């Protein structure tokens, strides 16, 4: 258990477990983009029998799981530059067509990482504004405005224990008001018209303890469930 | 549950077509026209339709039949008059159909814009002509451009050669024409194909329209010779 | 000989002969679009050994000559809806890419028909404005502004003997100031900064006789030649 | 005279590269990067270059070597910093290279616009963010869009899989990425390929970049393992 775990007295989800919970909730038949970070892990933990078509913005539709080391192909990588495979039915396309799919509203869902998410759905995930390091926007802004729904997958707090779900983003925005759902190592939270609604929490966590590491006001869903690690 | 966009009949393929809809129809001349789907729309009885297609139909069947039926109140195309376009010509002469004439490259680019999430684009095509009348123009690097809007549809009817259950499509020769951009630009894309292949059978390098742009596929291999 | 021929006392070129002369002058290695009318005939009269890539705006690059009747393919037609073939090295593309080639300035040349050409290069070839007949613009406006050079192939006069090369177009314009060269059944004329320069005339024709059926002032090139039917 | 775009050497392929040029370089991560052509440009000694590429190079060779050489004064890209982008990072930290950061979809769409004769387009990407600062915006159907300009180059360096003498290209898997749009958007498009095939050998339905967009092709089959 880490220090943070000890403080909260609960076992947090691992990064693959966060990805797995998101993967479980992706509707069957969806076209989905997996952003850099925790989201890309979802390709390896997709529930068996779920027919989801994964999109990678460098020009792949129908991304499959990570290959064994011996089968790596330097021409077959995803947007995170990780080795991937192609599923039967998958295809390659030019970069501009991959982004036509994104901007044109053809993706049902994009799973993105975040530096910060605000209660109003604002997303910041491309620069901390630190001028010592070059920023990198990649496809984040296109995905944020283009996909029909945006889910964020992130640790609940920074390494220092500060909230990443905030009242207002301090970092430069990626897009305004786009996030619909947040999966963290502690909880599953929906961004609704009435505010943040907690759907799931890890075993042992209380809403008060969760609120203590979250800036915007949280409400607990009547039918909330335990966020079980798969 | 496996994704399966293959629909058993034309009737089911065009289900949901309604009065007042805007429908894109693929084809250039007689190549690549989804005649069975067009007759499916005709059989549905839907009226007050806006049709977007490069031509306005020739002969007595297919697009010409739809236009000739009086159910099309407006057509957006680049080249309506051809040898054999009598059914359209008569409606036009009688003032029974509204024509929006669009330069051909602007027509497909507007479809691509709709499909690609582009809100509008500047094209040099048509600048200073009647077809740019009333449109916003702008000088860019010393040249006049016209602002054109994306063009979308409620439904696209497309003819292709091969499909699999994900809706991936291959076309054949010049019958490809408007199919791929129309598939991108419609809320519901319905495709008639000559052959269904197993998932994974298509070369992933050669897929022209990926399944993400396709909603329904119907297999039509009757090889009927249409009067178009 | 037609009445017009008798009036001028010369033998006019036939439509395939006009197309042939234009084909002869297409620079080797060019990418060329052939418009509806006389221009499409050029595909069948291309000089042997000339490596020219013909573009058809419905989505063909590398158009070959008309096939024998037994080899016609209803999926392989050009922009005039005539049956064509594909040369080795040819390829098919989506309509929007065919027009990207046009508008993007990738075609070296487009050969177009005309209702009227003005001395300043204005082109009118899409509607006579007669409201009884539907107009048809097709790809004419895209080609007129997109190709690096526009050559017009046309009869020198209307069927009534009126000039088609005029001081100012009466018909609605296709594009302004784009025509660089005109091939007619009587002459080959360049549109230069100094005005219309006659490069070739059919045997027996005088510059005065040509001027009589042409509105803008003509100049005769010092090195003018006979326009010989091939 | 037969069209033949095949060039015997890298030196001849990049001939004409000059100080101050804007050069597009294909590739996404380590896939599809024309390393031999990049080293050809490096060997040419050309300086004050603007490079347009998705990334800024990693490791010690290829794009990283060009950026690290100090000959690149400006880079237009979407994602410069990656594991191994030390050569770029150092130049950036020292203020020795100007960075224009462009959202990735806007980057390739701007190239396509340049290649397709589009004078500018409205995209929702980046609206309301720092990357749209100073750009014209417009509300279209209740949504904010940013006007983006076409992006062209003097030269494009592209890596592809196969070419024929007309310059038709096939790519391989995700190494396709920016190659086709860069080929459209440059005055001079130079391509390194792993295989040359006879004219007519490629499936005309599967050609990805038709030869009209390609100026020079050079055959590189050394299978060198680059440190990128």
């Amino acid at each position: 258990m880490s220090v943070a775990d000890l403080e909260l007295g609960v076992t947090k989800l691992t990064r693959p477990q966060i990805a797995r919970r998101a993967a479980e909730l992706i509707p069957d038949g969806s076209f989905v983009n997996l952003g850099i970070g925790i989201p890309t892990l979802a390709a390896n933990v997709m529930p068996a029998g779920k027919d989801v078509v994964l999109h990678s913005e460098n020009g792949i539709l129908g991304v499959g799981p990570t290959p064994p080391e011996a089968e790596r192909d330097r021409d077959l990588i995803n947007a995170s530059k990780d080795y991937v495979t192609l599923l039967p039915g998958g295809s390659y396309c030019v970069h501009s067509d991959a982004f036509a799919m994104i901007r044109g509203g053809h993706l049902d869902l994009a799973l993105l990482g975040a530096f910060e998410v605000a209660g109003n759905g604002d997303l910041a995930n491309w620069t901390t504004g630190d001028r010592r390091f070059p920023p990198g926007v990649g496809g984040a802004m296109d995905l944020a405005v283009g996909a029909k729904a945006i889910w964020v997958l992130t640790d609940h707090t920074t390494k220092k224990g500060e909230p990443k779900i905030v009242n207002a983003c301090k970092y430069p925005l990626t897009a305004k008001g786009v996030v619909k759902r947040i999966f963290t190592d502690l909880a599953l939270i929906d961004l609704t018209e009435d505010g943040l609604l907690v759907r799931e929490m890890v075993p042992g966590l209380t809403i008060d303890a969760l609120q203590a590491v979250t800036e915007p006001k949280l409400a607990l869903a009547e039918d909330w469930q335990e966020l079980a690690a798969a | 549950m496996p994704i399966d966009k293959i629909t058993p009949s034309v009737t089911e393929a065009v289900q949901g077509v309604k009065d007042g809809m805007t429908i894109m129809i693929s084809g250039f001349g007689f190549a690549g026209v989804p005649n069975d789907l067009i007759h499916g729309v005709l059989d549905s009885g839907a009226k007050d339709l806006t049709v977007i297609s490069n031509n306005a139909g020739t002969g007595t069947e297919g697009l010409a039949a739809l236009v000739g039926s009086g159910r099309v109140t407006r057509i957006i195309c680049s080249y309506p008059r051809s040898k054999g376009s009598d059914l359209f010509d008569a409606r036009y002469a009688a003032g029974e159909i509204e024509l929006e004439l669009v330069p051909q490259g602007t027509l497909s680019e507007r479809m691509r814009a709709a499909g690609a999430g582009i809100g509008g684009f500047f094209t040099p095509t048509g600048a200073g002509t009647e077809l740019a009348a009333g449109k916003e123009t702008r000088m860019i690097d010393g040249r006049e451009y016209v602002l054109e809007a994306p063009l979308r549809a409620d439904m696209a009817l497309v003819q292709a050669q091969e499909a699999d259950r994900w809706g991936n499509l291959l076309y054949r020769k010049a019958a490809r024409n408007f199919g791929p951009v129309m598939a991108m630009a419609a809320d519901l894309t319905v495709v008639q194909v000559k052959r269904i292949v197993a998932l994974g059978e298509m070369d992933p390098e050669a897929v022209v329209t990926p399944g993400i742009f396709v909603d329904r596929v119907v297999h039509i291999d009757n090889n009927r010779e249409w009067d178009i």
Side-chain angles (χ1 to χ4, degrees), chain B residues 156-214:
Chain B
L157 308 181
V158 170
Q159 196 257 309
Q161 189 68 12
E162 288 187 11
D164 60 27
R165 66 177 173 82
W166 276 14
N168 291 310
L169 303 181
L170 294 177
Y171 299 83
R172 186 169 177 276
K173 303 188 176 182
R176 183 185 307 193
N177 58 68
F178 284 87
V181 276
M182 289 182 170
M184 294 171 73
D187 291 341
L188 185 78
T189 294
V190 185
V191 186
Q192 70 170 78
V193 295
K194 295 190 182 155
R195 210 162 87 90
I196 302 280
V197 300
L199 198 69
E201 202 176 310
M202 282 185 200
D203 177 359
E205 303 285 359
V207 168
V208 174
T209 294
I212 193 169
F213 297 128
V214 172

Side-chain angles (χ1 to χ4, degrees), chain B residues 40-62:
Chain B
V41 167
L42 200 50
D43 293 346
S44 78
K47 58 183 194 300
D48 298 329
L49 301 174
T50 293
V51 162
I52 305 173
S53 195
N54 189 57
N55 307 106
T58 53
T60 62
E61 296 189 306

